[in-house]
Amino acid sequence: MALAQVKQNTTDARLDALTLPEGEAGWAAEARADALTRVRGMGLPGRRDEYWKFTNPESLTQPVAPRAAIFKYEDEAPAFDQIERLRIVFVDGVFDPAQSDDLAMDGVEITRLSDAMAKDIHWVRDLYGVLETRGQTPVARPLAALNTAFATDGIAIRATGKAAKPIHLIYLHEDETSDAILHHLVKVEEGAEVTVLESGPAAARFNKCMEVEVADTGRFHHVRTQGRDHERRAATHVFSRLGQESTYKSFTLTANGVMTRNEHVIEMTGDDAVAHVAGAAMGDGASGDFHHDDTVFITHDAQRCESRQVFKKVLRNGAEGVFQGKILVKPDAQKTDGYQISQALLLDEDSSFQGKPELEIYADDVQCSHGSTTGAIDDTALFYLRSRGVPESRATDLLVLAFLAEAIEEIEDERLQDDIRTRLENWLERRRQG
Amino acid sequence: MLEIKNLHVKLEDEDKQILKGVDLTVEAGKVHAIMGPNGSGKSTLSYVLSGRDGYEVTEGEATLDGEDILEMEPEERAAAGLFLAFQYPVEIPGVGNMTFLRTALNAQRKARGEDEISAGDFLKLVREKAKTLKIDADMLKRPVNVGFSGGEKKRNEILQMAMLEPSMCILDETDSGLDVDAMKLVSEGVNALRDEGRAFLVITHYQRLLDHIKPDVVHIMADGRIVKTGGPELALEVENNGYADILGEVA
Ligand SMILES: Nc1ncnc2c1ncn2[C@@H]1O[C@H](COP(=O)(O)OP(=O)(O)OP(=O)(O)O)[C@@H](O)[C@H]1O
Ligand SMILES: [Mg+2]
């Protein structure tokens, strides 16, 4: 069968299994229909697509979500437990008001997506599917368009001032066959500031899209930990557009997960904006297959902007890591400062890492650097630690934490940094104790 | 305390014999010094005793308090009381000096079936020991040895020794890279630890360190063997005449 036909069949099969939401406002129905047209036009990703060269999209595009056992968290403290925050809970992709806090908070307006789609709220209308559409060129991201068309739930957040506390989206996974599609909108108005936290696996299969518009001098912080369910699958997209002197900082911690593809698409359209994206991922093939893909695309389209990508992966027992990161500097984006580092620490020879760093620069006065490394644990350091009485497994973990530190330090809020660090340490400790 | 008999060691990956029958006994409470030309195998001996990879013991044995240490993992040797102050201390970016010290101390305690030290007691202890070695708070906070000067690294080795209170301390050229004042500090640190239950094996090229840390016995190592053993006067002889005479005499 011809390749195009395979793609068409895959796409048709998946779309046939979905239904467009009903009862929404006219503009919303239109946005959904446009998105559906986009998906049909692009077709869902296939193994032969260049952008999916290192990650097999099949389980993310097949009509039915593969079953995923529920992970037992036992005595592990929930993420961000020690931090005062507004909690919004989704169970298998459905908003659960009973477990959530009241959505009213100083500095922000929070609306459930389904409510927002039934009304005509100007900023929602100006954002829903808009950044996702912009993010479809130069590289197609069909799973995001599919999300825009079919998302069943989500949250719309508009920060008008400094949010009183972080907003925490908690994704619980209770049904082994759940297939969740969530779409969030975040609008940070001029000078406003908000932190969005995310945690949990969400579903057996999770398709999440978040569109973030940060107006001039606005500040957006994003910290997430993806659920530890070994068999869970996730395809996530964050699309953001940054205004003048705005700040965007995102950090993701991942351990476990048979399939994760996290895409970040950032467009810097205002001068002097700052964007930092970071990720720390740990995979151990001994406790279940692990494939983790970070794909980042940052476009500099304004002057003196700074972007930073710091991605670290620790892989063992056949775990697979992928990084595709691109910095595109448009002709007028002079004085761009772009930095990108992706590193993998392979704890054995069975694990693998594929890195594809790319720079495409059309301006002449820019500073861009990128690096990608794959390495093993430093034997000399390991021996030094052991010679002081630190057992090998603990010594290895200390070096693992040290390796991941640079990514974790990208989190601006120290309390969140501590939460992530403690979480990691605890995971490693549990693992050591078998 | 430490007993080494006819120890033969070759490189694991190469057909190169480095130690060719080392015999050495260090009694509790004593300070032994080892001197010897570059490349004679002094560091190799210290690494083999502490369990570094890459060497193969082809003959002989080494025991600490009667226990065969060559079969133990490096961390087990440490818990049994062995400590090596490295000739080239290792930098470990990302691991804080304090975390490192506390993890090491607690791991050893745990291995010996003792309780872990509380965070408060640990802080007190480390501050007190650091002060006597003139290691400031900033150095304690930094990653292990990262950005430390040569002399600071050596002082940091002695701080670790002071914290871990091992019974058998091997110091590999701890004096190299130290200025005169630091040499005094380090020596005082070592002397403060001297006691009946503890022994030292001090590897050095210079008499100067031995002015501060008075050895009971001095050994000369050459070409993978201890070729001569004597009192402190042997070190003076090396200082004045070099190795030619001694080596000529034993050859
Ligand atoms: N891993 C190795 N690979 C190759 N050669 C080695 C290795 N380790 C030791 N050697 C060799 O073994 C010999 C002894 O080295 P060692 O470092 O023990 O000497 P040393 O007595 O400590 O010298 P120095 O006084 O210069 O510190 C040297 O010839 C050295 O090159
Ligand atoms: Mg040496």
Side-chain angles (χ1 to χ4, degrees):
Chain A
M1 213 181 329
L3 219 56
Q5 191 58 50
V6 174
K7 203 182 227 339
Q8 173 96 51
N9 293 351
T10 306
T11 306
D12 289 347
R14 176 63 180 135
L15 296 181
D16 284 349
L18 293 161
T19 38
L20 286 171
E22 283 173 27
E24 296 185 336
W27 71 268
E30 227 170 89
R32 303 276 200 185
D34 287 352
L36 184 55
T37 308
R38 280 198 294 284
V39 188
R40 289 207 187 279
M42 296 182 266
L44 287 176
R47 198 64 220 259
R48 296 295 186 83
D49 294 354
E50 183 63 23
Y51 217 42
W52 291 84
K53 195 170 167 184
F54 305 121
T55 295
N56 184 351
E58 197 182 314
S59 66
L60 298 170
T61 57
Q62 69 186 53
V64 178
R67 176 180 293 270
I70 313 288
F71 187 78
K72 304 256 182 306
Y73 285 84
E74 283 156 13
D75 54 347
E76 184 177 330
F80 313 120
D81 207 22
Q82 300 301 311
I83 286 153
E84 224 209 303
R85 66 223 196 272
L86 187 140
R87 291 171 312 145
I88 300 175
V89 178
F90 295 87
V91 180
D92 291 302
V94 182
F95 174 61
D96 182 354
Q99 293 194 67
S100 303
D101 292 330
D102 180 26
L103 299 186
M105 180 168 69
D106 282 351
V108 285
E109 293 161 15
I110 305 172
T111 318
R112 187 176 177 180
L113 186 77
S114 49
D115 293 337
M117 299 292 270
K119 297 181 198 150
D120 195 0
I121 305 170
H122 70 94
W123 74 267
V124 171
R125 186 182 175 151
D126 290 346
L127 189 51
Y128 192 85
V130 171
L131 297 187
E132 175 260 297
T133 306
R134 292 179 69 91
Q136 297 295 352
T137 37
V139 192
R141 304 170 200 281
L143 286 168
L146 177 137
N147 181 302
T148 299
F150 296 100
T152 45
D153 220 326
I155 210 85
I157 298 167
R158 177 176 179 234
T160 50
K162 191 169 164 34
K165 50 192 175 190
I167 297 164
H168 182 184
L169 308 179
I170 300 171
Y171 305 127
L172 304 180
H173 172 209
E174 293 178 0
D175 174 352
E176 289 193 352
T177 59
S178 56
D179 193 13
I181 307 181
L182 293 182
H183 197 112
H184 307 307
L185 300 174
V186 181
K187 176 80 192 278
V188 183
E189 299 288 0
E190 207 174 308
E193 178 166 9
V194 67
T195 298
V196 172
L197 309 174
E198 296 181 281
S199 67
R205 181 168 69 180
F206 188 29
N207 179 329
K208 192 204 69 182
C209 180
M210 180 152 83
E211 295 178 279
V212 183
E213 172 106 60
V214 188
D216 296 351
T217 69
R219 297 172 66 83
F220 176 72
H221 305 271
H222 176 224
V223 179
R224 72 175 153 178
T225 70
Q226 293 182 299
R228 293 173 62 206
D229 303 42
H230 294 289
E231 293 166 355
R232 64 145 188 83
R233 290 161 203 276
T236 78
H237 290 84
V238 185
F239 295 92
S240 58
R241 180 162 58 179
L242 308 185
Q244 209 169 307
E245 288 175 53
S246 65
T247 303
Y248 172 94
K249 290 193 178 171
S250 173
F251 171 85
T252 303
L253 176 67
T254 313
N256 306 348
V258 61
M259 170 58 62
T260 307
R261 163 94 161 199
N262 291 331
E263 293 194 24
H264 249 99
V265 184
I266 301 170
E267 210 185 337
M268 311 184 77
T269 54
D271 294 340
D272 302 293
V274 172
H276 292 189
V277 254
M282 285 199 306
D284 183 350
S287 47
D289 286 349
F290 178 89
H291 182 97
H292 183 96
D293 175 337
D294 284 302
T295 291
V296 182
F297 197 111
I298 299 184
T299 305
H300 282 260
D301 198 10
Q303 298 195 31
R304 295 178 306 275
C305 291
E306 174 198 314
S307 73
R308 236 177 112 77
Q309 304 171 44
V310 180
F311 286 87
K312 304 264 189 163
K313 294 178 175 67
V314 179
L315 306 166
R316 62 184 119 198
N317 295 314
E320 299 165 358
V322 175
F323 174 80
Q324 305 188 100
K326 179 155 183 172
I327 306 175
L328 169 63
V329 181
K330 297 247 181 121
D332 53 355
Q334 299 298 354
K335 307 268 185 222
T336 285
D337 179 358
Y339 173 78
Q340 178 195 90
I341 181 92
S342 69
Q343 294 181 308
L345 177 62
L346 305 185
L347 297 180
D348 51 55
E349 281 167 11
D350 302 332
S351 305
S352 66
F353 174 68
Q354 316 266 8
K356 192 180 174 197
E358 280 181 286
L359 294 177
E360 195 177 325
I361 302 175
Y362 297 102
D364 45 31
D365 184 14
V366 302
Q367 216 184 352
C368 281
S369 64
H370 66 158
S372 182
T373 66
T374 307
I377 211 104
D378 177 352
D379 282 336
T380 313
L382 189 67
F383 172 64
Y384 190 66
L385 290 166
R386 295 178 72 190
S387 79
R388 297 314 185 230
V390 182
E392 185 175 11
S393 58
R394 178 91 168 94
T396 303
D397 286 351
L398 277 175
L399 296 175
V400 163
L401 286 169
F403 171 78
L404 296 175
E406 188 189 356
I408 297 168
E409 281 157 15
E410 290 294 322
I411 304 171
E412 202 173 284
D413 185 329
E414 282 190 14
R415 294 169 313 157
L416 293 171
Q417 241 192 55
D418 287 345
D419 186 285
I420 294 291
R421 206 173 282 117
T422 309
R423 187 154 300 277
L424 251 171
E425 282 167 14
N426 290 342
W427 290 354
L428 290 168
E429 192 176 329
R430 278 207 188 79
R431 196 186 161 280
R432 278 201 306 276
Q433 285 159 1
Chain B
M1 168 148 289
L2 177 67
E3 220 168 319
I4 304 167
K5 283 189 198 144
N6 194 30
L7 189 66
H8 286 70
V9 171
K10 69 179 271 293
L11 291 177
E12 208 169 52
D13 302 334
E14 260 177 73
D15 221 8
K16 183 170 173 184
Q17 197 75 30
I18 300 177
L19 299 185
K20 303 171 180 171
V22 174
D23 284 292
L24 181 67
T25 302
V26 184
E27 310 81 12
K30 300 285 194 235
V31 174
H32 284 226
I34 297 186
M35 303 180 85
N38 293 133
S40 55
K42 304 180 298 296
S43 293
T44 301
L45 176 64
S46 70
Y47 286 143
V48 170
L49 291 175
S50 48
R52 189 178 190 143
D53 279 347
Y55 304 102
E56 190 185 322
V57 175
T58 51
E59 221 185 310
E61 59 174 57
T63 58
L64 182 66
D65 294 322
E67 264 192 275
D68 178 5
I69 51 169
L70 297 179
E71 287 303 310
M72 296 182 189
E73 297 294 335
E75 54 268 32
E76 293 170 335
R77 302 180 198 206
L82 190 78
F83 181 90
L84 167 64
F86 284 55
Q87 180 172 1
Y88 304 108
V90 180
E91 297 189 7
I92 314 184
V95 177
N97 219 0
M98 288 287 240
T99 308
F100 167 57
L101 279 170
R102 190 150 55 99
T103 308
L105 186 57
N106 280 332
Q108 292 202 15
R109 284 182 172 228
K110 201 172 153 206
R112 290 192 294 257
E114 299 164 15
D115 283 342
E116 294 200 344
I117 188 169
S118 76
D121 288 348
F122 170 78
L123 259 178
K124 234 177 86 187
L125 191 68
V126 78
R127 287 208 181 113
E128 178 196 309
K129 307 265 187 201
K131 201 171 156 202
T132 60
L133 288 161
K134 295 227 167 80
I135 290 175
D136 58 29
D138 176 57
M139 267 171 73
L140 288 175
K141 269 190 237 144
R142 291 203 327 240
V144 180
N145 292 326
V146 176
F148 287 28
S149 73
E152 287 170 343
K153 284 180 183 166
K154 296 302 179 77
R155 274 188 276 155
N156 200 28
E157 294 290 289
I158 301 305
L159 172 66
Q160 292 165 35
M161 189 170 84
M163 292 294 294
L164 298 170
E165 302 186 317
S167 54
M168 181 68 234
C169 310
I170 304 173
L171 278 63
D172 191 359
E173 292 196 30
T174 301
D175 51 340
S176 67
L178 291 182
D179 66 35
V180 182
D181 296 331
M183 172 102 67
K184 259 188 90 181
L185 278 178
V186 161
S187 308
E188 280 162 12
V190 171
N191 288 330
L193 281 168
R194 285 183 76 158
D195 90 41
E196 279 169 24
R198 183 170 289 133
F200 291 87
L201 188 59
V202 180
I203 299 170
T204 183
H205 286 295
Y206 305 107
Q207 166 62 30
R208 208 172 55 182
L209 179 71
L210 304 179
D211 285 339
H212 296 287
I213 307 172
K214 300 241 160 18
D216 299 293
V217 183
V218 175
H219 307 274
I220 307 296
M221 186 162 191
D223 194 24
R225 278 188 207 93
I226 302 290
V227 294
K228 190 165 182 180
T229 296
E233 72 286 348
L234 197 50
L236 280 171
E237 196 184 324
V238 169
E239 178 88 354
N240 294 330
N241 308 327
Y243 291 109
D245 291 358
I246 298 171
L247 297 186
E249 177 187 316
V250 297

